[in-house]
Amino acid sequence: MPKLFLKFSLLFLLVGCASSKKIKFDDYIFQTKTDKDSYIASYNKALKLWDVPYTEDTIQTTFGIAHVIIAGPKNGKGLVLLHGMDASSTMWYPNSKVLAKTHRIYAIDFLMEPGKSTLTAKPLSTEEIVAWYRQIFDHFKLKNFDIVAASRGGWTATLLATQKENSIDRIVLLSPAQTFKSIDKMRKMTPALLLKLFPNEKRFTKTLKTFATHPENINPVYKRQFYLANHFAKSNSNMLKMQPFSDDELKSIQNPVLVLIGDHDVVNSDESLKRAQKYLVHCKTIIIKDAGHFLSTDQPHIVNEAITDFLN
């Protein structure tokens, strides 16, 4: 494991340990009820950016409450959306209208990050994360469904696809984090690390400039929600479990997979795509020009076209 990633992991551990001593009420993510209420109010405003009719559903699982945003035709093919780290399902506002034309969307908030899902058990192991998603898929009777996943969600989608028993069809990975190789531009990640340790508006702005080529494209309403996620919600050690998948694990994935990365991505590089092409049996890769890690806001039209062409 690269030394820089070890430092990155240590910082996340330090933040997680420091925050765990300050929890003032029974919530894994937020320190106070006021913090959580402010975040949820901002989440609700950002969700209105979805330019398509939607409903919200909550499901009781073994590990806590799963919150799912549902949109699209009832007879459409199932499409699960897995968001990036701390981004929540509202992040799909640039994509929801296009994807909901042909698919029945199920956008799931990850229960160990800011969102409306709630963890009521201890932090989940990798095996328990798989079990949690399976309970949601079973609840909605999802069979032969597609997945579109971003960043940390891309790692999770890959994890689900490596399971011997799954009902996944096609997979789209938008700059998946820690999936094909470790992050190799850790020095450029410094603003994000400092934001986790000492959150404020200035560091948040620097972080957006690190991850996006066009941070001005991010809707101010969503930007506010994303900031509150970083300001109020403390990081956990879940990132430490995200190790790149082995050659054999990647070879075991028989699904058609589309991998998209930006030409200015700080998380992936050409080497990531080369490994994806080498070990994924049915893989297509695309480099999106003038885009960073935040593909769906940097180049939404190009990304939407690439996704729909692949899925349809």
Side-chain angles (χ1 to χ4, degrees):
M1 183 182 296
K3 292 182 179 179
L4 282 172
F5 184 70
L6 285 172
K7 293 179 180 179
F8 181 62
S9 301
L10 179 60
L11 279 172
F12 268 83
L13 274 178
L14 290 173
V15 176
C17 292
S19 64
S20 63
K21 298 177 182 178
K22 299 178 182 178
I23 296 298
K24 299 178 181 178
F25 78 117
D26 189 19
D27 191 282
Y28 177 70
I29 300 297
F30 296 92
Q31 293 187 5
T32 70
K33 185 177 185 302
T34 300
D35 291 351
K36 184 172 184 178
D37 289 346
S38 296
Y39 173 80
I40 294 300
S42 182
Y43 181 110
N44 290 334
K45 290 180 180 179
L47 183 52
K48 293 179 181 178
L49 297 174
W50 277 43
D51 190 18
V52 62
Y54 62 84
T55 58
E56 297 178 74
D57 199 357
T58 54
I59 306 156
Q60 186 63 55
T61 72
T62 303
F63 309 102
I65 297 172
H67 175 260
V68 185
I69 306 168
I70 305 170
K74 292 183 178 181
N75 61 347
K77 185 180 181 182
L79 174 60
V80 170
L81 303 182
L82 303 181
H83 60 79
M85 186 174 181
D86 293 341
S88 88
S89 295
T90 59
M91 70 156 280
W92 298 108
Y93 73 88
N95 319 102
S96 55
K97 185 176 183 178
V98 172
L99 298 179
K101 288 182 179 179
T102 55
H103 285 73
R104 183 69 165 173
I105 293 175
Y106 300 87
I108 305 169
D109 284 345
F110 185 47
L111 81 171
M112 292 207 301
E113 290 180 8
K116 287 189 178 181
S117 293
T118 305
L119 178 67
T120 57
K122 60 180 177 57
L124 305 188
S125 66
T126 299
E127 293 75 20
E128 288 170 331
I129 289 173
V130 172
W132 183 67
Y133 280 108
R134 280 181 170 171
Q135 289 182 28
I136 299 171
F137 301 156
D138 290 344
H139 174 85
F140 290 111
K141 297 180 173 58
L142 291 176
K143 301 292 182 183
N144 195 40
F145 61 92
D146 298 330
I147 292 183
V148 176
S151 193
R152 195 270 306 147
W155 184 91
T156 302
T158 306
L159 172 67
L160 295 171
T162 62
Q163 306 306 304
K164 291 183 178 180
E165 295 182 5
N166 69 73
S167 299
I168 303 169
D169 186 11
R170 290 176 173 263
I171 303 169
V172 179
L173 305 177
L174 307 181
S175 188
Q178 290 291 111
T179 300
F180 301 111
K181 65 191 300 291
S182 296
I183 298 172
D184 58 358
K185 299 178 182 177
M186 287 301 302
R187 289 184 181 86
K188 293 185 178 181
M189 301 286 283
T190 300
L193 300 179
L194 291 175
L195 177 65
K196 291 297 181 186
L197 290 169
F198 312 104
N200 61 38
E201 295 274 6
K202 185 177 181 180
R203 292 191 180 94
F204 179 68
T205 299
K206 287 185 177 180
T207 298
L208 294 185
K209 290 180 179 179
T210 299
F211 284 89
T213 55
H214 293 285
E216 71 278 4
N217 286 356
I218 304 174
N219 187 285
V221 174
Y222 176 74
K223 190 181 295 184
R224 179 63 181 171
Q225 182 211 340
F226 193 34
Y227 171 70
L228 292 180
N230 285 274
H231 182 73
F232 289 141
K234 301 305 178 183
S235 299
N236 53 64
S237 60
N238 181 55
M239 180 79 174
L240 304 182
K241 301 173 184 176
M242 292 171 52
Q243 298 301 311
F245 293 90
S246 69
D247 299 350
D248 289 340
E249 287 173 324
L250 294 176
K251 288 177 182 178
S252 73
I253 299 174
Q254 300 298 309
N255 313 71
V257 181
L258 171 65
V259 183
L260 305 178
I261 71 167
D263 58 354
H264 291 86
D265 191 2
V266 296
V267 172
N268 286 287
S269 64
D270 290 347
E271 293 301 316
S272 305
L273 297 188
K274 289 178 181 178
R275 191 158 185 264
Q277 292 168 342
K278 182 175 182 179
Y279 295 111
L280 292 175
V281 179
H282 305 289
C283 180
K284 178 181 180 180
T285 61
I286 299 177
I287 296 178
I288 306 296
K289 294 183 179 180
D290 191 22
H293 188 59
F294 292 168
L295 293 173
S296 61
T297 53
D298 281 339
Q299 299 295 339
H301 299 298
I302 295 174
V303 169
N304 283 338
E305 184 178 359
I307 292 174
T308 53
D309 285 349
F310 180 76
L311 294 183
N312 297 329

